[in-house]
Amino acid sequence: MSNKMDRSEMRESRDSRDSRDAGMDRDGDERGGRRGGGFGRRKVCRFCADLEYVMDYKDFRMMQSYVTEHGRIVPRRMSGNCAMHQRKLTSAVKRARNLALVGFVSSGN
Amino acid sequence: MANAASNAGKIPGYETTIITRGELADESLKALQERINSVVKSFGGEVVLTEDWGSRKLAYTIQKESRGRYSYFVYTGKGQVVAEIERNLRINEHVLRFLSVNLEKEFDAPAFVKRRAELQVAAKKRDEEREARREERMAERRNWSDERRPRQSAHSAASEDSEA
């Protein structure tokens, strides 16, 4: 009797673990779970994808969208830019800072 | 020198963005433009593009000014023209700040103007799209809260019933 219960418990626990594992793999069918732990879709460099979207330090909306609320340049792992465009973006943001289009510390109150 | 020879016939192009005081009168801005025009002419170039972006709030105060009037010039010329323009700008007390950038070596004025117009159109379109998306989101949020409210009230009514 007790033996049977043990087994059922065991099975139950294993089942639950299995389902959780399976859930990890199958979870987020839209976003696609990754083994490495992170979730999220693969980002694409917007400057490469859209040729109309040209880097311009004078376009303050563009510059603001690549600056955090504290005035830091958005890192590549967040913006998904390729290396070349991130380098260009860095210099563009620095130029925009000189022109007071974006702030050095916080983007205005 | 070798570089200049390989680029014979092509004059390099430069762009300068100038921030002047926000409450600057149109006349003094005009005077500034005239000044730049004459300097560029004297160095054998020409002003390709002049833009006035109007008064904008600065991201941080410059010389105790929180608003600035932006103007943007694109011009061609050889060597010393940028230095001369910047010298003039430094003298002018209405100018808060300026930034000059050397455009690409093979500068083609009409092509540049055309390209810039295209890019401005594209940027405008992006702005409009952004605005449309925002509107959509706001509408969605309104709908959501409308749906939400009656359900919440129904829930609370039910709980009151059970208590009673």
Side-chain angles (χ1 to χ4, degrees), chain B residues 114-141:
Chain B
K114 206 173 137 211
R115 182 103 182 99
R116 175 140 177 87
E118 277 171 13
L119 289 182
Q120 271 173 340
V121 168
K124 202 166 189 183
K125 209 173 81 188
R126 272 203 305 278
D127 268 5
E128 277 163 13
E129 273 168 19
R130 193 196 338 254
E131 201 59 32
R133 269 205 305 277
R134 206 172 67 89
E135 286 289 313
E136 209 171 277
R137 218 160 39 227
M138 291 301 275
E140 214 166 84
R141 202 173 295 164

Side-chain angles (χ1 to χ4, degrees), chain B:
Chain B
M1 232 14 204
N3 208 349
S6 68
N7 269 326
K10 293 265 187 199
I11 317 176
Y14 304 95
E15 62 181 9
T16 301
T17 313
I18 300 165
I19 309 177
T20 47
R21 293 187 193 279
E23 70 276 14
L24 186 75
D26 284 340
E27 293 93 64
S28 21
L29 190 68
K30 237 187 195 118
L32 185 69
Q33 287 174 355
E34 298 276 303
R35 183 83 201 204
I36 288 174
N37 269 331
S38 65
V39 170
V40 170
K41 285 236 170 61
S42 70
F43 278 87
E46 61 173 327
V47 177
V48 177
L49 197 69
T50 309
E51 280 175 21
D52 182 9
W53 300 348
S55 179
R56 272 181 48 81
K57 197 173 179 302
L58 301 174
Y60 49 89
T61 52
I62 305 175
Q63 293 178 25
K64 297 183 181 169
E65 296 276 342
S66 57
R67 295 192 74 85
R69 192 164 177 179
Y70 286 73
S71 27
Y72 172 66
F73 300 90
V74 181
Y75 48 90
T76 58
K78 283 175 188 163
Q80 299 300 306
V81 64
V82 180
E84 179 62 20
I85 282 178
E86 291 195 346
R87 195 182 68 80
N88 276 297
L89 292 176
R90 263 187 218 104
I91 291 166
N92 193 324
E93 59 183 6
H94 299 301
V95 175
L96 297 176
R97 191 160 291 188
F98 52 85
L99 178 76
S100 303
V101 175
N102 190 349
L103 299 170
E104 67 269 35
K105 286 262 162 53
E106 280 152 39
F107 182 72
D108 186 3
F112 179 84
V113 172
K114 206 173 137 211
R115 182 103 182 99
R116 175 140 177 87
E118 277 171 13
L119 289 182
Q120 271 173 340
V121 168
K124 202 166 189 183
K125 209 173 81 188
R126 272 203 305 278
D127 268 5
E128 277 163 13
E129 273 168 19
R130 193 196 338 254
E131 201 59 32
R133 269 205 305 277
R134 206 172 67 89
E135 286 289 313
E136 209 171 277
R137 218 160 39 227
M138 291 301 275
E140 214 166 84
R141 202 173 295 164
R142 265 198 298 277
N143 284 342
W144 185 73
S145 58
D146 283 352
E147 267 171 35
R148 180 90 189 213
R149 220 169 288 132
R151 204 189 301 155
Q152 251 178 355
S153 62
H155 180 75
S156 62
S159 67
E160 273 166 25
D161 280 353
S162 70
E163 271 170 27

